[in-house]
Amino acid sequence: MKFSYFPGCTDHSTSYEYGRSTEAVFRALGGELVEIEDWNCCGAAATHSINRLLSLCLPARNISKAQSAQVGPLVVPCAGCFNMLKRTEYALKNDEAKRKEIEEIVGFRYDPSFEILALMDLIVNRIGTEKVRERVKRSLKGLKPACYYGCALVRHPKITQLDDPENPQYLDRLMKALGAEPIEWSYKVDCCGADLALTYGNVVKKLVGRIVSMAKEAGAQCIVTSCGLCQANLEMRQEVDLPIFYFTELMGVAFDVEGRDQWWKKHMISPKRLLESLGLA
Amino acid sequence: MESVVETVKTGTSFLEEAKRRSGEDLSLCYQCLKCTAGCPTAPFMDVRPNNLIRMIQMGRKEEVLGSSAIWLCVSCETCGTRCPNKIDIGVLMDALREMAIEEGIPAKERNIHLLHEAFVQSIKRGGRVHEATMLIDYKLRSRDFLTDLIPGMMLFLKGKIPLFPSFIKGREEIKRIFEKCEKK
């Protein structure tokens, strides 16, 4: 089970704990992640807001490198990076003139059989929740997370082709496989405000406040995410102290992998008290 | 009479240009308001997404390209996902921002545009985004030194903003890609 791997720029900065927990969980599942050699930034929303062609070509360089490494499908943990890579894939597959333009600029030939997968999709549907369940050492019984998908995984559905865009279930199924009891709520795909955090903090505070208070009202003890920007916004712009996990961290708890204390240290809202109260610290 | 003809001409050409650039058939919009109802930032926009499309149909170019709406859109794609006529409004917003930049129309939300610039320049320098230098660059461009100092410091203290950038080896390749994309 070998995969090409795109960690993304925040892997060693704002979502350090996402990167480390992803690696630990993948090892526990017996898989191997092979980092794309000399990968570059996916471009993020900033790039397609300024120069759309550039926003297609930056991910294309990564696709080109992953394709020629021939280690298997490309796996992307960050929802934002995943979305950018899929936008490029969509243009390469559906717009012949654009494909030729991108190929010429980046200097490669696109192989349409090359697959790009979100880490969550890979774990839930390829590896499968059955295999996840078998690997659980300590059930997350009693933990009530709100599964938050945000925007980039599920929208635009023609591009990401992942789950239901209004009421996705992948993450809920994964949490159930770990023994947790995800709550039902209606804000799982509402936007957190993304990079407006840096220019309009008050707007993000409003959007995050609504998401977090709705999760709490629905009985959640924490929120689970798969995006570095969502995690940072939810954790730093709320006022109720609800812990915000990456889904791989909760897998790590259930699999009882080592090094978890290093993850918790990176959180603005420590999840330790919650985990201790459930005997999961 | 002549001026009316002129207005109609520029009007149609703006609609056609917006259609061509975005690849979206904007004439299909029948103002159901689903886009605006689901938009997380619509309450903060000067023109709501549904009105923006109507204004494009009417050829009101300056107001559209000079609006705060095109910059407050965070590309969450809720609008495009829900549009009954399958108009991808997120893609339209990208096209409108690009047109505004090309036409030299100053961004009504200047700081949002400056942040995007700082972000993209950071990629151009090192191939990857380096938060510390990107944020300093943004602060110098915007001259907004005080906003968000505390969250920034919190991240820094958690060791989440590395001081030194990790440049990639293929920086020349990245530069070439930038040059080719900026020329077009």
Side-chain angles (χ1 to χ4, degrees):
Chain A
M1 221 176 39
K2 222 170 168 183
F3 296 93
S4 189
Y5 179 53
F6 182 78
C9 298
T10 60
D11 177 65
H12 272 85
S13 57
T14 49
S15 49
Y16 177 89
E17 64 275 37
Y18 195 14
R20 303 301 75 71
S21 55
T22 295
E23 291 157 6
V25 161
F26 224 76
R27 265 196 307 274
L29 286 168
E32 194 187 335
L33 296 172
V34 183
E35 196 170 316
I36 300 174
E37 207 202 321
D38 207 38
W39 55 268
N40 59 271
C41 174
C42 70
T47 309
H48 68 73
S49 296
I50 291 179
N51 186 326
R52 286 181 299 156
L53 182 59
L54 181 64
S55 79
L56 295 173
C57 289
L58 287 173
R61 181 177 175 273
N62 295 314
I63 293 173
S64 138
K65 284 186 172 289
Q67 212 180 258
S68 59
Q70 292 190 320
V71 282
L74 176 60
V75 181
V76 192
C78 169
C81 302
F82 167 72
N83 192 288
M84 292 303 292
L85 286 155
K86 290 298 266 190
R87 280 171 183 248
T88 297
E89 181 191 71
Y90 185 81
L92 289 167
K93 278 196 200 301
N94 297 294
D95 185 338
E96 207 187 322
K98 204 47 106 195
R99 173 177 60 77
K100 284 186 181 149
E101 195 178 11
I102 298 168
E103 284 180 337
E104 190 270 314
I105 292 172
V106 178
F108 84 121
R109 277 295 293 272
Y110 174 61
D111 170 7
S113 70
F114 183 71
E115 279 188 291
I116 302 170
L117 302 169
L119 178 70
M120 188 197 292
D121 184 21
L122 169 74
I123 290 175
V124 174
N125 298 309
R126 296 284 174 105
I127 296 174
T129 45
E130 225 11 80
K131 184 132 192 241
V132 170
R133 203 171 282 126
E134 281 166 21
R135 187 66 191 72
V136 171
K137 285 189 182 162
R138 297 190 312 169
S139 162
L140 301 186
K141 201 169 165 20
L143 183 72
K144 295 185 174 65
C147 295
Y148 179 67
Y149 299 75
C151 310
L153 272 185
V154 293
R155 286 191 300 261
H156 194 293
K158 73 178 179 200
I159 284 170
T160 65
Q161 298 188 355
L162 188 142
D163 215 337
D164 182 311
E166 298 291 354
N167 187 12
Q169 297 296 328
Y170 289 180
L171 193 47
D172 295 70
R173 274 164 51 204
L174 179 60
M175 287 301 124
K176 282 178 194 160
L178 301 176
E181 299 147 37
I183 55 125
E184 289 288 337
W185 68 317
S186 51
Y187 278 69
K188 37 168 80 165
V189 293
D190 276 45
C191 177
C192 72
D195 63 357
L196 282 185
L198 291 161
T199 46
Y200 276 97
N202 55 338
V203 171
V204 173
K205 217 169 167 177
K206 247 187 201 152
L207 298 175
V208 166
R210 206 156 55 192
I211 293 165
V212 173
S213 63
M214 288 316 289
K216 212 166 177 182
E217 203 178 308
Q221 299 159 325
C222 61
I223 296 179
V224 197
T225 69
S226 73
C227 168
L229 192 50
C230 297
Q231 199 276 345
N233 279 348
L234 290 177
E235 203 172 48
M236 297 177 72
R237 311 279 164 173
Q238 60 157 298
E239 285 166 335
V240 292
D241 271 0
L242 202 66
I244 314 292
F245 290 100
Y246 289 104
F247 73 97
T248 45
E249 291 181 301
L250 286 178
M251 290 180 78
V253 173
F255 292 178
D256 200 18
V257 300
E258 285 184 8
R260 300 201 300 273
D261 268 343
Q262 295 306 312
W263 314 342
W264 311 145
K265 274 185 198 161
K266 295 286 180 182
H267 283 258
M268 301 291 168
I269 298 169
S270 173
K272 275 184 106 167
R273 213 168 52 196
L274 170 64
L275 293 172
E276 274 162 13
S277 73
L278 295 163
L280 293 166
Chain B
M1 199 55 199
E2 233 177 60
S3 68
V4 175
V5 172
E6 278 307 302
T7 314
V8 171
K9 258 191 199 161
T10 29
T12 330
S13 66
F14 179 50
L15 172 62
E16 288 312 315
E17 177 77 352
K19 273 186 182 175
R20 189 184 63 76
R21 292 256 197 160
S22 64
E24 300 300 316
D25 191 352
L26 307 174
S27 308
L28 291 175
C29 174
Y30 50 53
Q31 295 293 314
C32 73
L33 270 70
K34 254 195 160 182
C35 50
T36 296
C39 175
T41 57
F44 312 98
M45 292 174 173
D46 51 0
V47 182
R48 308 285 155 95
N50 66 298
N51 290 332
L52 204 73
I53 296 183
R54 188 75 192 106
M55 283 161 76
I56 296 171
Q57 290 170 344
M58 291 160 72
R60 286 157 69 172
K61 185 176 176 177
E62 279 74 29
E63 285 158 275
V64 170
L65 299 185
S67 69
S68 75
I70 62 171
W71 298 100
L72 281 165
C73 162
V74 288
S75 310
C76 77
E77 294 281 353
T78 309
C79 49
T81 301
R82 293 180 182 169
C83 175
N85 293 310
K86 297 193 169 61
I87 301 173
D88 191 336
I89 304 158
V91 167
L92 169 69
M93 291 294 198
D94 281 341
L96 294 174
R97 284 187 281 253
E98 232 173 48
M99 286 166 80
I101 295 169
E102 274 173 36
E103 301 254 341
I105 295 169
K108 188 154 181 198
E109 293 297 339
R110 187 171 160 267
N111 285 357
I112 295 175
H113 180 45
L114 292 176
L115 178 70
H116 293 163
E117 286 282 357
F119 193 97
V120 172
Q121 287 307 313
S122 181
I123 304 173
K124 195 177 186 178
R125 279 194 299 274
R128 292 179 193 165
V129 167
H130 177 238
E131 290 87 351
T133 45
M134 186 267 286
L135 287 172
I136 292 169
D137 185 17
Y138 165 66
K139 292 280 174 196
L140 289 172
R141 285 166 192 260
S142 64
R143 313 225 145 253
D144 173 16
F145 297 106
L146 294 174
T147 309
D148 269 347
L149 271 186
I150 293 166
M153 281 313 288
M154 277 159 66
L155 283 171
F156 180 72
L157 292 172
K158 283 278 175 190
K160 284 188 151 185
I161 300 189
L163 278 182
F164 300 104
S166 71
F167 287 156
I168 67 165
K169 280 180 260 161
R171 290 200 297 286
E172 282 306 313
E173 257 176 89
I174 297 289
K175 262 194 197 115
R176 267 202 307 278
I177 292 174
F178 264 85
E179 276 162 19
K180 284 179 180 169
C181 293
E182 280 163 355
K183 232 184 268 166
K184 299 213 175 191

